[in-house]
Amino acid sequence: MRPTSALISHGHGVVPEPGPLTRRALRADDVAVRVDWCGVCHSDLHALHSRRPGDPPLVPGHECTGRVAALGTEVTGLAVGDVVAVGNIVDSCGGCAMCRAGQENYCAEFPTLTYGGTDRRDGTPTQGAWAGEIVVRDRFVHPLPAGLDPAAAAPLLCAGVTVWEPLRAAGVGPGSRVAVAGLGGLGHLAVRLAVALGASVTVLTRTADKAGDARALGADDVVVSTDESAMAAVRDRFSLVIDTIAAPHELGPLLRTVALDGTLCSLGFLGPVTVETMDLLLRRKRLTSSGSGGLPSTRELLAFCAEHGVVADVERLPADRIGEALDRLARNDVRYRVVLDMAGISEGRPLAD
Amino acid sequence: MRPTSALISHGHGVVPEPGPLTRRALRADDVAVRVDWCGVCHSDLHALHSRRPGDPPLVPGHECTGRVAALGTEVTGLAVGDVVAVGNIVDSCGGCAMCRAGQENYCAEFPTLTYGGTDRRDGTPTQGAWAGEIVVRDRFVHPLPAGLDPAAAAPLLCAGVTVWEPLRAAGVGPGSRVAVAGLGGLGHLAVRLAVALGASVTVLTRTADKAGDARALGADDVVVSTDESAMAAVRDRFSLVIDTIAAPHELGPLLRTVALDGTLCSLGFLGPVTVETMDLLLRRKRLTSSGSGGLPSTRELLAFCAEHGVVADVERLPADRIGEALDRLARNDVRYRVVLDMAGISEGRPLAD
């Protein structure tokens, strides 16, 4: 077994505390990754808020970069010291139609999530990457292309691929008109990636104060979504609207900005949503959703980002400031992703409470 | 002005009665069509049930075939006696992006419906094709290809094009797996057209008694939608599910049969619908809807049907049996479309009450 340290939630509050964690001894196809940077995502916050007294300990974190610390006996193509990345999936069945299609995120047996899942071989709960080390099956460890800053690249592994798959599924390229609703962790990467793909990008935001940021990210236009006349001016306009708004909201106003045969892709995990079929009918619009990405998409995204210089805008915080990071995320006061510097944990130093 | 006869609803009951109707004098780009056959569609029933005392008279009917009776001075490409067809749209603005794209059904100024609309030039209410004659702008009069039985072809103009556009938008062809939910006027044409396009077709039906018909129409498989294990066996299977069920129903069970990047197209005019985003997310499924078709689609459909021998299964009833036709339609007791023989009306004979 491999001892390390981690930020652990013990079920009696939302802020994880530093403590000892044991990783499994390496299997033949395992890779031990010393974590350098790990993003703080809305779904981490959601997981922490969902915890109850008596729940087993939980280590969040599912978009990290680091260096290979040790290799199982049968791992090829990686060497100790390689800079690598791990996302929100650490295993899948490998045999179903979705896995064969490279969409492990939709594995018929459900993919093994980086934390909060169950290891497919030993049945133990998976624990995430807010830790000094993580042990992951080799197929799910991605070499980080040279030229990508590991801190700013970490959010590509979840936020990035989550917006990349709908951009690719919609065939976005030069000439495409894309709108991004909500400018946060996912949204700012959606803008950058769509711009890099050659699209004309509009940001739909509830407040005007992010207009400067939106343009700096490459957006051609910013529309304040509470301004009915501005929204009317972009009616039926976009071939793809990526909705990254996590709070409950009506989809009708966004659907009405979609063009003929275009798509509204909701990424906010909204639960049940109600739409007027007439909003779909008049121009044969599509409503869809998607979640994270498969291995081929992830590798394609990393190569694309290296080629186009796309990374996240990150704030680097020491791991022991996790409480502050979570508070600010809950207030939407992050521009646009916090990445935790896991050095203190990796080095076994005690963290401030 | 051109006197004719029609089946007219006077707002005090659902069954229209025969009576006199006057069509406008021909404009330079008008075509007068002597109606031979006109379908009876659920939307006619809906329009009749929506009538109230005091409403102006209404003549339904929006999928007809007939012969050219007279031509405006500037009409080219048609001759008196030509067999032609008219659908549910008789005009559109012609200048908006949708009209320029050949999607007059989504005209930004709203298309002029064959009945219940308002003529764009003289502001009079439009009256439909349950009549001896109809006068229509030339662009919206389609020559009927040789080889198509005019009675059985009439439903192609609304039911047919309504299922044709989503089949084409989804790129259905050889190898596609298509499901059709509901086997009625739209559904039976959707099966026949999808089969003719080369798809493997499954019919999803609430009752098993239409299985024989489904197979006779060319379906490879029939699934009784109330059989949970049978529905589970087709989970995540179809690239396109065309939902023709007009009664309120849950979309979740149908969405769950859609494959990765596939589409559920709802044609039932269901108003507000609620879906679980998780049903969309797991495999990036799309929900859409569409309504009737544009001029290029309509012409493409008619040519395709002539080439592949596709027409509707029709019951021919004299126009004076409209009450019976509407009763049976309301009971879903039609296999699969009633077309009214308008000869009695065209010839000016009095109809039985």
Side-chain angles (χ1 to χ4, degrees), chain B:
Chain B
M1 305 294 274
R2 303 178 63 91
T4 184
S5 302
L7 294 174
I8 306 171
S9 168
H10 290 284
H12 50 71
V14 302
V15 181
E17 296 172 353
L21 180 73
T22 303
R23 299 291 188 185
R24 66 176 176 254
L26 296 192
R27 299 169 186 151
D29 59 356
D30 268 343
V31 178
V33 177
R34 177 182 157 133
V35 180
D36 288 322
W37 300 97
C38 188
V40 181
C41 168
H42 263 285
S43 61
D44 298 320
L45 196 61
H46 180 75
L48 289 169
H49 276 295
S50 305
R51 298 188 60 64
R52 294 175 188 174
D55 277 357
L58 182 73
V59 178
H62 61 223
E63 47 179 39
C64 74
T65 51
R67 285 157 288 163
V68 173
L71 295 168
T73 54
E74 293 178 5
V75 178
T76 57
L78 286 173
V80 170
D82 282 359
V83 180
V84 294
V86 175
N88 76 322
I89 300 174
V90 287
D91 206 356
S92 73
C93 84
C96 73
M98 289 298 101
C99 288
R100 291 198 309 272
Q103 295 278 182
E104 295 82 359
N105 46 330
Y106 304 132
C107 170
E109 297 186 7
F110 206 75
T112 305
L113 301 179
T114 303
Y115 68 86
T118 302
D119 184 82
R120 310 182 82 80
R121 292 189 235 178
D122 65 20
T124 58
T126 58
Q127 300 288 7
W130 291 356
E133 183 179 283
I134 188 168
V135 172
V136 179
R137 186 176 176 181
D138 53 359
R139 297 179 63 226
F140 293 82
V141 176
H142 306 276
L144 194 71
L148 287 177
D149 169 12
L156 298 176
L157 276 290
C158 178
V161 76
T162 298
V163 298
W164 179 250
E165 283 213 343
L167 286 165
R168 298 291 282 161
V172 167
S176 302
R177 289 174 174 173
V178 172
V180 176
L183 201 60
L186 272 68
H188 91 291
L189 281 171
V191 173
R192 236 173 219 159
L193 290 167
V195 168
L197 283 165
S200 163
V201 178
T202 297
V203 168
L204 309 177
T205 176
R206 275 172 294 180
T207 53
D209 72 338
K210 285 183 176 170
D213 280 15
R215 291 186 192 281
L217 289 163
D220 296 290
D221 201 7
V222 178
V223 172
V224 176
S225 57
T226 53
D227 178 344
E228 287 188 15
S229 66
M231 287 294 280
V234 292
R235 189 172 178 120
D236 305 323
R237 184 171 179 83
F238 306 110
S239 56
L240 175 66
V241 177
I242 296 187
D243 177 8
T244 71
I245 302 169
H249 60 288
E250 293 293 324
L251 298 184
L254 297 178
L255 264 179
R256 291 191 276 280
T257 72
V258 175
L260 178 72
D261 290 322
T263 300
L264 169 61
C265 182
S266 165
L267 299 176
F269 308 103
L270 300 179
V273 294
T274 299
V275 295
E276 279 289 337
T277 43
M278 200 54 74
D279 280 334
L280 299 171
L281 187 157
L282 295 176
R283 284 175 178 66
R284 210 164 47 215
K285 301 175 179 188
R286 303 159 175 166
L287 172 66
T288 189
S289 181
S290 71
S292 78
L295 295 179
S297 287
T298 304
R299 290 194 195 111
E300 180 191 62
L301 169 66
L302 291 174
F304 181 87
C305 287
E307 183 184 346
H308 292 268
V310 173
V311 288
D313 279 2
V314 293
E315 284 190 56
R316 297 155 211 246
L317 288 184
D320 57 2
R321 287 171 64 187
I322 180 63
E324 176 189 338
L326 291 169
D327 282 349
R328 290 182 48 209
L329 185 64
R331 293 199 310 269
N332 285 320
D333 181 30
V334 175
R335 293 193 179 185
Y336 282 95
R337 201 69 153 187
V338 167
V339 288
L340 298 176
D341 179 352
M342 304 307 295
I345 285 218
S346 296
E347 290 158 14
R349 281 193 285 110
L351 298 172
D353 190 26

Side-chain angles (χ1 to χ4, degrees), chain A residues 42-62:
Chain A
H42 263 284
S43 60
D44 299 319
L45 196 63
H46 181 75
L48 290 167
H49 276 293
S50 305
R51 298 188 59 66
R52 295 176 188 175
D55 278 355
L58 181 74
V59 179
H62 62 222

Side-chain angles (χ1 to χ4, degrees), chain A residues 7-351:
Chain A
L7 295 174
I8 307 172
S9 168
H10 290 283
H12 50 72
V14 302
V15 181
E17 296 171 354
L21 180 73
T22 304
R23 297 293 188 185
R24 65 176 177 255
L26 295 192
R27 300 169 186 153
D29 59 356
D30 268 344
V31 179
V33 178
R34 177 182 157 132
V35 181
D36 289 321
W37 300 98
C38 188
V40 180
C41 169
H42 263 284
S43 60
D44 299 319
L45 196 63
H46 181 75
L48 290 167
H49 276 293
S50 305
R51 298 188 59 66
R52 295 176 188 175
D55 278 355
L58 181 74
V59 179
H62 62 222
E63 48 179 38
C64 75
T65 53
R67 285 158 289 161
V68 173
L71 295 168
T73 53
E74 293 178 5
V75 177
T76 57
L78 286 173
V80 170
D82 282 358
V83 180
V84 294
V86 175
N88 77 322
I89 300 175
V90 288
D91 207 356
S92 72
C93 83
C96 73
M98 288 298 100
C99 288
R100 292 198 308 274
Q103 295 278 180
E104 296 82 358
N105 47 331
Y106 304 132
C107 170
E109 297 186 6
F110 206 75
T112 305
L113 300 180
T114 302
Y115 68 86
T118 303
D119 184 82
R120 310 182 81 80
R121 293 189 235 178
D122 66 19
T124 58
T126 57
Q127 300 287 9
W130 292 354
E133 184 178 281
I134 189 167
V135 172
V136 179
R137 186 176 178 183
D138 53 0
R139 297 178 62 226
F140 293 83
V141 177
H142 305 278
L144 195 71
L148 287 177
D149 168 13
L156 297 176
L157 275 291
C158 178
V161 77
T162 297
V163 297
W164 180 249
E165 284 212 344
L167 286 166
R168 297 291 282 161
V172 167
S176 301
R177 288 175 175 173
V178 172
V180 176
L183 200 60
L186 273 69
H188 91 290
L189 281 170
V191 172
R192 234 171 221 162
L193 290 168
V195 168
L197 283 165
S200 164
V201 178
T202 297
V203 169
L204 309 177
T205 177
R206 272 172 296 179
T207 53
D209 72 338
K210 286 182 175 170
D213 281 15
R215 292 184 191 281
L217 289 162
D220 297 290
D221 200 7
V222 179
V223 172
V224 177
S225 56
T226 52
D227 178 343
E228 287 187 16
S229 66
M231 289 293 280
V234 292
R235 190 173 179 122
D236 306 323
R237 183 171 180 84
F238 306 109
S239 56
L240 175 66
V241 177
I242 296 187
D243 177 8
T244 71
I245 303 168
H249 59 288
E250 293 291 325
L251 298 184
L254 297 179
L255 264 180
R256 291 191 275 279
T257 71
V258 175
L260 177 73
D261 289 324
T263 300
L264 169 62
C265 182
S266 164
L267 299 175
F269 308 104
L270 299 179
V273 294
T274 300
V275 294
E276 279 288 338
T277 43
M278 200 53 73
D279 280 334
L280 299 171
L281 186 157
L282 295 176
R283 285 177 178 64
R284 210 164 47 216
K285 301 176 179 187
R286 304 159 173 164
L287 172 67
T288 188
S289 181
S290 72
S292 77
L295 295 179
S297 288
T298 304
R299 292 196 193 109
E300 180 191 61
L301 169 66
L302 291 174
F304 181 88
C305 287
E307 183 184 345
H308 293 268
V310 172
V311 288
D313 279 2
V314 293
E315 284 190 57
R316 296 153 213 247
L317 288 184
D320 57 3
R321 287 171 65 186
I322 180 63
E324 176 189 339
L326 292 169
D327 282 349
R328 290 182 46 212
L329 186 62
R331 294 199 308 269
N332 286 320
D333 182 30
V334 176
R335 294 190 177 186
Y336 283 96
R337 201 70 153 187
V338 167
V339 288
L340 299 176
D341 178 352
M342 304 307 296
I345 285 217
S346 296
E347 290 157 14
R349 282 193 282 110
L351 298 173

